[in-house]
Every structure is written in C-alpha cells, then in structure tokens.
Amino acid sequence: MPLLRTTRSLRTAVLAGLLLSGTVLVPAASASATPLYKNSHAPVSSRVKDLMARMTLDDKIGQMTQGERGSATPAQAAAARLGSILSGGGSVPSPNTPAGWADMIDAYQKAVTSTGLGIPIVYGSDAVHGHNNVYGATVFPHNIGLGAANDPQLVERIGAVTAEETAATGVKWAFAPCLCVARDDRWGRTYESFGEIPRNAVENSVVIEGLQGRDLGDRTSVMATAKHFIGDGGTTGGVDQGNTQISLDELRKIHLPPFRAAVDHGVGSVMISFNSWNGVKDHGNKFLITDLLKGELGFTGYVVSDWNGIDQIDGQTGFTAAEVKRAVNAGIDMVMVPNDYQKFIDTLRAEVLNGDVPMSRIDDANRRILTKKFELGLFDHPYTDRSLQKDFGSAAHHALARQAARESQVLLKNDGVLPLAKKNNKIFVAGKNANDMGNQAGGWTLTWQGQSGERVIPGTTILDGIKAGAGKGTGVTYDRAGNGIDSSYQVAVAVVGETPYAEGQGDRPNGLGLDAEDLALIGKLKASGVPLVVVTVSGRPLDIAAQLPSFNGLVAAWLPGSEGAGVADVLYGDYNPTGKLNFTWPKSSSQEPINAGDGKQGLFPYGYGLSYRRR
Ligand code: GLC
C-alpha cells in the first residue's frame, strides 16, 4: 500500500481513537497561525501549557511579581513583565472616576500586551465594602454590620453589585472578602470580620459567589480573594500583625472553616496573613500554605502575599534572598512587592539559578496564575468593559446599600422610646457621627484609613434619614455638641462612637470606651431630662456599660456605609430591627477577649438583638 495511503489511514485511525477517547482536537497551529494560547476556543489547560512552553525564566518570574501603580508605569510594568499591578488603599488615578481608572488600567494592558508574549496583567484593588477606593462607588456596610444582618443572600447580592462596579473600572481582582474570625475586639480590623465565631464567616463567604459570578469570565465578574490566611483575628491582645498563640486544633476549629468554605466556593486567590502562628510568620510557613491550604483544602487558585509581607519573615526590615526563597518555597505564588519589584525579580532569578528554588515551584505558581488569567478572560478581553459604568453608584445599588444598613442595625435597649414617632414630634439630633459620611463609612473609604467629613462620599447621613423621615408636625434640630437642647424636645438622638481607621492604626489596647466628646454630649443631653436614644457608629462593640442606665434606647449601627438613611428607617420603625449581635458585647475591655461559649458574662451576649413589639 502506497506510503501516503498508509499514512492517511493511520492518521484517520489515530483521529478516530482521539475522538472516541473524548480528547478535544484543536487544529495544530501552523507557524503562521495564531499561537494556541491565543486561541480563545482552546481549553484553558492547553492554553496554559502552550504559553508556558514559550516563556523564559524572566517571563515566569515576572508573572509572580505584583507592583504598586505608584512605582510601576505601564512601560516599566512591560519591561519587568509584571504579572499584576495593585492599588494600595487610596492609591487612585486622577480623576478618581470609573473612566479615570479604566484609562489607567487599559494603559497598563496596552503596554504589556504589545510586548513579548503579550501576557495581560491582572489589576487588584481592595473592594472590601463596595469599590471603596473610587469616588462615587456604592459603599456598603463593613463586614461587622453584614454579619449582624444574618442574611447571606443579601451579602451575595452585595458581592455581585460590588463586582459589577469594580469590573466597570477595569479592576478584575478584588482583595476581598476578609474571612477573619476576630476574637479580640481590641483588634483594629474587627470591623472587617463577619463575626467572632467561624459560622459568621463561613455563611457569608457566599459573597465570593457574588463577586465571581457563575463564570469568572463573565463581564461583571471579578476574582475574589479569601484573606488573610491564617489566624489574623486570633492574635494575643488583638495586636494587628501579632502572634496567634493557639494549638493546631484551635486554628483548625476557629480560623480554618471560612477558608474551607471559600475553596468550596471556588475562590480564585488567597492572601497570606501578616500574623505569626506560635512565633512563625505565616508568610514563611510551608505547612500552612502548601500542606494545609493547597494540600488538605485542595486550593487550586493562586496564593498572594500581603503588602511587603515577605519582609517580615526574619523580623528585619526589607527582604533578603533567604526570605524570598522561604516564601516562594512555602507556596506563595505571587508576591505583593509594591516598590522593590525589580530587586525581587533579580533575587528570585538568582535563587532559581542557584537551585534553591526549584523550577517546579516556579512552574506551579505560573500555572496557577495563568489559569486564573485565562479564566478571567483577560487574554481575550484585556480592556475595560466601559458599558458597565452606566450603573456605577446607581440608585438601585444605593437601595441595596440602604437595605443592608437596615438589616445590620442591632437594637440593644428600648424602654419604649423607640420607634420614634414620625408625626407631631420634636427631635433633637446630636453627635459627631450623626451627619458625617466619612465616619459612617469607616476605614478603606477613598483612602486607606478613611476620613471624617460630612459629604466625603455620595449618599445619606443618619441625620439626612431622620430629617427625610419626619412627618407632619415634626421638627428636627441638629447640633453636634447638643447646644440648644431643652425640655421642649420630645426625644434626643445622640450618634456617637469612633472615627475611621484601618489595620493596626485601629488597635485599641487601652480600652474601648467612648471618647470625651461623646461622654460630654451624653451628660449634657441627659441633664436636660429629654428621653435619650444613643446610636453607636463603630468598628467594634464599645464599652458603654457605665452610661447604659442613662440611655432610654440603644442601637448598634456599626459602619453603615453610603446609606445612613437605613439607620433612620430602623429608628422610625419603617424597618423592624432584625439584627443580632455577631460579637459578644463586653462589660469592659478588661474582659477581652470575650467570645460566645467562653463562660464569660458580657453586657449583651452573642446573638442578642431586640425587635419592636408588633403594633
Ligand atoms: C494591606 C492589607 C490587605 C490589603 C493589602 C493591599 O496591608 O493587609 O488586607 O489587601 O494591604 O492593600
């Protein structure tokens, strides 16, 4: 039989065999045709394999490197072949608008996709309560309020809206949700926690489904980040980035379940925590990252370090070759090295060439990173879908934020003073947090630390809500310090609590009491004899035991975000409060840490929350 026929019949037999075996056939790429990795119809695994076969060591090390926008221009990102760029808290383009963000990120994509293999970056930002770095974004209650709402379906919807507004700006990677289980309320990141027991974070990890959508490649999807692995909420004394001194059993019982749930939700990335576990920094702990997270939990996405997190492994400032080797070999796939990214690249290259970091580790990291980039559709659609910008900060999104604010309110005391009468009432409103969008939004709002300010972001203050809800014959007076209060008023509402903070700057090792301004205000209002409703706007339970007897009503509002009117909805009874404490409320900070089941008697127990009697 002529060779040709033999060859053809052999090829036919092989093709038949392949088809029968279910192997997907993709036309072999001829020299002039598009490389397989650029074929959007090819399986992701094939695209990854084809791309990696074309990559140099520097290509691969670049993919494992994340720089901050302030230290890497698009040209520099392309030259260094960076895999990712991030915005640290408050690191924003000018103008800080969806179009400004899209222009910035598209410029990075244009630079990196027009050089070398054209691998797009994935841009990351902390969209932790809405796309909070961007002016005009819908800002939702922080996790502490969402946990009190006990409504995972609501939280999933919040994830979806957050993803839509985030994707609208070109950001396809959200460094959220924080799944920390905050055990000591003195910790500055307590408000980023859904609650003090794992169930809160487990149930609300469904926000990942909202963020990532049905398919990571959907235009409105962004990749989520389960953070911070592991034990950030369990440090001794609630010291941020401190030492979590607990047994492996307790780590598994308290802090691991939310990450197991996140993996079950298909979370695309996990961020490593700054804290130490029994004296060893998580960023260098191979047992935690490789054995526990990737092995036992079966996490197949990629692991990113926290901000300069690898620098902390040896306890000295800056990073060394030993730390780079330790972190990468521990299982970190992408390193957030905001500024010294070229030094990191050079150091890791040397560690690979000297054999201290095996090529198999580099390839595993790249396989994980590139798989997510292909799944996100970044190779096929690297530029921002600006059609999504029409709904950015929309009325519908704000309505969801208001519903979330309503459901997160916890009514802790009510002698009948609540709900407020809407008609024929005379209401005196006071306090530093009554008319301050910045204070009610809290940290991670426009800037890293957040800031006070009446109109820092669009939305409604609590005072706006009280004024808008007033009916016929009702007057509302506001004075921050309570000046003008007298017995002609039928009720006084004092909105007190904390001003914004983030991370360690929010640690309160010296007590959780109200500040002098709030205490003076409460004293003044009480002296007037007018029934007093206190609303706490704070990132944690506060020490108000001594003042509680002088309150006729008490509502924990947490950090309600854009729509303070949702708090007023509860004060007027337009929404019958359903919120329940997701943190045991201490009698004093000397009880900390105090948590459900530890036998301590707080001021209000975990799960406590009143409603109005049915009218
Ligand atoms: C911060 C936080 C982390 C955040 C990261 C990027 O230090 O620990 O939650 O995602 O840096 O802003």
Side-chain angles (χ1 to χ4, degrees):
M1 182 185 293
L3 181 59
L4 184 58
R5 251 211 311 276
T6 308
T7 309
R8 186 177 294 124
S9 58
L10 182 62
R11 191 170 62 182
T12 306
V14 168
L15 285 179
L18 285 172
L19 284 175
L20 287 173
S21 67
T23 304
V24 176
L25 296 177
V26 178
S30 66
S32 62
T34 307
L36 179 63
Y37 77 93
K38 291 192 174 182
N39 178 344
S40 62
H41 299 295
V44 165
S45 57
S46 308
R47 299 178 78 179
V48 170
K49 188 170 178 226
D50 177 69
L51 176 54
M52 286 182 64
R54 302 166 187 264
M55 292 169 76
T56 65
L57 176 58
D58 276 2
D59 287 327
K60 293 178 178 177
I61 290 174
Q63 285 304 303
M64 298 171 66
T65 309
Q66 179 184 59
E68 214 277 340
R69 59 173 286 280
S71 61
T73 64
Q76 290 167 328
R81 309 176 212 192
L82 296 183
S84 176
I85 296 288
L86 86 144
S87 276
S91 176
V92 302
S94 178
N96 183 14
T97 61
W101 279 72
D103 291 345
M104 168 183 70
I105 294 170
D106 288 357
Y108 280 108
Q109 296 296 27
K110 183 165 175 42
V112 297
T113 57
S114 48
T115 58
L117 294 165
I119 303 174
I121 62 155
V122 56
Y123 198 101
S125 186
D126 292 279
V128 294
H129 62 139
H131 195 5
N132 40 261
N133 277 322
V134 187
Y135 182 80
T138 308
V139 175
F140 292 96
H142 269 294
N143 290 350
I144 191 170
L146 299 180
N150 272 305
D151 188 348
Q153 284 183 329
L154 170 81
V155 170
E156 183 173 0
R157 281 167 48 216
I158 288 172
V161 167
T162 298
E164 185 181 333
E165 295 198 2
T166 302
T169 66
V171 175
K172 293 294 278 180
W173 182 14
F175 300 138
C178 183
L179 295 176
C180 48
V181 182
R183 304 289 287 171
D184 190 314
D185 306 332
R186 292 171 291 186
W187 184 36
R189 305 192 77 164
T190 296
Y191 68 80
E192 296 186 65
S193 173
F194 286 105
E196 67 185 22
I197 63 173
R199 178 177 63 80
N200 295 114
V202 168
E203 289 182 350
N204 289 292
S205 64
V206 70
V207 67
I208 292 165
E209 301 281 353
L211 288 165
Q212 299 193 157
R214 276 188 314 281
D215 184 321
L216 211 45
D218 289 346
R219 50 203 281 272
T220 54
S221 295
V222 298
M223 182 170 69
T225 309
K227 71 182 188 181
H228 310 82
F229 190 82
I230 184 172
D232 49 354
T235 61
T236 303
V239 174
D240 188 46
Q241 306 188 9
N243 193 13
T244 298
Q245 298 168 282
I246 57 177
S247 67
L248 176 56
D249 280 353
E250 183 153 354
L251 191 78
R252 285 180 176 278
K253 185 163 68 79
I254 300 292
H255 301 284
L256 190 62
F259 289 92
R260 191 181 299 277
V263 170
D264 291 346
H265 286 301
V267 72
S269 69
V270 170
M271 187 180 290
I272 300 304
S273 185
F274 283 122
N275 66 273
S276 302
W277 176 46
N278 296 329
V280 177
K281 280 287 178 182
D282 285 3
H283 274 76
N285 194 319
K286 183 171 184 178
F287 164 73
L288 292 177
I289 303 171
T290 295
D291 301 343
L292 193 53
L293 176 62
K294 292 181 174 179
E296 184 178 320
L297 266 57
F299 174 60
T300 57
Y302 67 85
V303 171
V304 63
S305 72
D306 202 335
W307 184 279
N308 287 325
I310 69 170
D311 300 15
Q312 296 188 13
I313 292 172
D314 67 2
Q316 310 301 317
T317 54
F319 61 82
T320 62
E323 287 175 310
V324 169
K325 173 176 65 175
R326 175 89 176 271
V328 173
N329 284 342
I332 290 180
D333 302 307
M334 183 183 284
V335 176
M336 186 186 296
V337 51
N339 306 308
D340 296 334
Y341 54 83
Q342 194 55 56
K343 178 188 169 194
F344 169 76
I345 289 167
D346 298 339
T347 306
L348 181 52
R349 183 193 304 114
E351 290 306 297
V352 173
L353 295 177
N354 71 16
D356 282 350
V357 174
M359 202 57 213
S360 58
R361 180 73 273 276
I362 301 296
D363 285 338
D364 174 47
N366 272 265
R367 201 168 296 115
R368 289 168 178 267
I369 293 166
L370 295 171
T371 296
K372 289 304 161 192
K373 287 188 173 183
F374 280 115
E375 289 176 357
L376 277 164
L378 287 167
F379 281 84
D380 310 317
H381 313 288
Y383 299 108
T384 306
D385 180 347
R386 297 178 192 233
S387 70
L388 297 174
Q389 292 178 2
K390 67 183 184 312
D391 293 328
F392 194 86
S394 69
H397 292 176
H398 275 262
L400 182 62
R402 183 165 177 166
Q403 181 59 20
R406 287 187 192 112
E407 293 189 32
S408 60
Q409 303 306 298
V410 183
L411 178 62
L412 295 171
K413 182 177 182 182
N414 182 25
D415 68 0
V417 67
L418 290 170
L420 302 176
K422 288 191 142 189
K423 291 180 180 173
N424 306 315
N425 204 341
K426 191 175 180 186
I427 303 170
F428 193 99
V429 182
K432 64 174 180 283
N433 291 343
N435 196 35
D436 192 306
M437 291 301 296
N439 288 358
Q440 69 188 47
W444 296 103
T445 306
L446 291 189
T447 63
W448 177 41
Q449 291 294 314
Q451 66 224 283
S452 300
E454 182 179 336
R455 297 293 166 195
V456 165
I457 57 173
T460 57
T461 65
I462 295 167
L463 176 65
D464 291 337
I466 295 173
K467 285 180 173 175
K472 191 170 178 317
T474 290
V476 178
T477 302
Y478 170 65
D479 182 275
R480 172 172 171 155
N483 296 320
I485 182 70
D486 63 35
S487 57
S488 71
Y489 289 92
Q490 291 164 253
V491 63
V493 179
V495 188
V496 300
E498 296 183 309
T499 52
Y501 52 81
E503 303 192 45
Q505 296 188 37
D507 283 4
R508 289 187 64 176
N510 303 315
L512 301 174
L514 296 173
D515 66 18
E517 176 181 356
D518 290 345
L519 291 172
L521 171 66
I522 287 166
K524 177 181 287 189
L525 297 177
K526 203 58 209 163
S528 72
V530 175
L532 174 61
V533 173
V534 171
V535 178
T536 56
V537 171
S538 63
R540 63 194 11 131
L542 297 177
D543 183 354
I544 44 93
Q547 294 78 35
L548 184 62
S550 65
F551 303 168
N552 299 86
L554 172 63
V555 174
W558 313 115
L559 296 170
S562 296
E563 291 303 324
V567 178
D569 292 337
V570 168
L571 296 177
Y572 279 122
D574 288 340
Y575 182 82
N576 194 345
T578 53
K580 304 295 180 194
L581 285 183
N582 45 337
F583 286 90
T584 304
W585 198 288
K587 286 180 184 144
S588 114
S589 61
S590 62
Q591 288 190 301
E592 295 292 349
I594 180 170
N595 296 293
D598 66 6
K600 295 181 183 176
Q601 183 67 38
L603 186 63
F604 301 108
Y606 178 95
Y608 184 82
L610 304 172
S611 295
Y612 299 136
R613 282 184 301 283
R614 299 216 173 287
R615 287 177 298 214

